[in-house]
Amino acid sequence: MRSKNLCLSFTSLCLLAAADTAIAEDWQYSLKAGVANAPRYSGSDERMTAPVLGGQIVSPWGIFLDTSKGLGWGYEGNALSFSAYVGASASRKDKNQSLHAGSNRLKGLGEIKSRAQLGVSAAYNLGGVIVGATLEHALKEDDHKDTGKAYTHLELNLGTTLYEGRFGSVDAGLSSHFGDRNYLQTWYGVTTGQAAQSRFKAYKAGAGNISNGMNLVWSLPISEHTQFSTLLDVQYLADEAGKSPIVERRLQTSVMGVVEYTF
């Protein structure tokens, strides 16, 4: 879960900083590879390091295929940018696995499986400060009653460029995450059935604010087609999420370093 969300945070912040770019006249391709260090799951005090691999293809008509979002269509004008896409939601294991979010501590809660997800994202440039929002809805997954319900997640962003010069650029963003009742219950709740099979007491989570935080991206061009970027993301779990018995640490920090090649 965390690696996917880190990639989305990285992509969103870079898109916000470039919201005044016109739509491409040619096909655009990009590949990225790197490494991320993050909590094993949202609320964990254990950490994991995992590779980050991805890519994107954008057509002259705005249709794109992005490993972090899926298949969609986007538009970037002088001030407004917009995209709509269909892809796969995040997932979580209830055991330690090197390439997947999750932990042995969650044993008995069951796996949160990835399922089809619909998303829309928009951003507007207010003279150097970019306001953005991303709404994602994951469809129902029938095989797991406790963790298979459809859910909705909303992220609100404020972003700006702090520095741009010979040492690249530094972009900063503030973000708040919100979820409906099914989202909070899926990722932070514990049903009576799960409580009977795990170390946790039952916990019924309600809709509301999930977390609030900030992120920083430093991007350094290496050549005409290659750049290196680092991301620092800090989130504080709030309200219903922070009170969950599965949460060991409310302050969650993640870092990622990526080399991206465009052609």
Side-chain angles (χ1 to χ4, degrees):
M1 177 184 173
R2 290 299 306 163
S3 293
K4 182 180 177 72
N5 287 348
L6 273 173
C7 287
L8 282 170
S9 296
F10 174 78
T11 302
S12 298
L13 193 55
C14 290
L15 285 176
L16 290 179
D20 58 350
T21 303
I23 201 164
E25 295 181 359
D26 265 328
W27 288 84
Q28 293 183 343
Y29 307 88
S30 65
L31 297 172
K32 61 185 176 184
V35 63
N37 180 268
R40 281 200 162 274
Y41 64 88
S42 180
S44 175
D45 66 356
E46 300 176 277
R47 300 189 68 82
M48 62 178 291
T49 300
V52 175
L53 300 172
Q56 184 185 59
I57 302 172
V58 183
S59 78
W61 312 282
I63 298 171
F64 65 82
L65 180 62
D66 189 320
T67 52
S68 65
K69 286 187 173 183
L71 177 65
W73 175 83
Y75 167 79
E76 292 184 13
N78 291 329
L80 176 68
S81 64
F82 172 85
S83 66
Y85 52 91
V86 57
S89 68
S91 63
R92 188 185 73 194
K93 303 282 188 180
D94 61 351
K95 56 185 176 182
N96 288 358
Q97 286 194 352
S98 58
L99 299 180
H100 298 279
S103 170
N104 291 337
R105 186 171 180 269
L106 302 179
K107 184 177 181 180
L109 295 186
E111 177 185 357
I112 301 176
K113 287 192 171 184
S114 179
R115 74 287 305 265
Q117 178 171 267
L118 307 175
V120 291
S121 181
Y124 192 80
N125 190 335
L126 297 172
V129 176
I130 293 84
V131 180
T134 298
L135 180 68
E136 294 181 329
H137 177 74
L139 304 182
K140 183 178 180 180
E141 198 279 306
D142 292 329
D143 293 334
H144 295 70
K145 294 182 180 179
D146 287 333
T147 59
K149 293 182 179 179
Y151 59 75
T152 302
H153 168 257
L154 172 67
E155 179 180 1
L156 302 178
N157 300 90
L158 281 175
T160 191
T161 299
L162 299 180
Y163 167 82
E164 189 167 13
R166 70 180 284 195
F167 300 107
S169 63
V170 177
D171 300 313
L174 300 176
S175 64
S176 290
H177 296 258
F178 302 86
D180 64 5
R181 182 176 58 185
N182 285 345
Y183 183 96
L184 270 295
Q185 185 61 36
T186 298
W187 292 99
Y188 301 97
V190 180
T191 66
T192 53
Q194 289 173 318
Q197 302 177 67
S198 69
R199 68 177 70 191
F200 305 106
K201 63 180 181 180
Y203 178 72
K204 188 174 182 180
N209 184 208
I210 303 165
S211 69
N212 303 291
M214 63 166 290
N215 46 45
L216 290 172
V217 174
W218 173 44
S219 300
L220 178 66
I222 299 174
S223 68
E224 181 181 356
H225 298 285
T226 308
Q227 75 170 11
F228 173 73
S229 298
T230 58
L231 166 71
L232 168 65
D233 183 74
V234 180
Q235 295 290 321
Y236 185 79
L237 297 176
D239 301 331
E240 299 290 314
K243 297 174 185 175
S244 169
I246 75 168
V247 171
E248 299 174 290
R249 185 187 299 272
R250 284 185 136 183
L251 186 65
Q252 301 279 280
T253 59
S254 306
V255 292
M256 179 172 68
V258 171
V259 175
E260 184 172 16
Y261 178 75
T262 59
F263 54 98

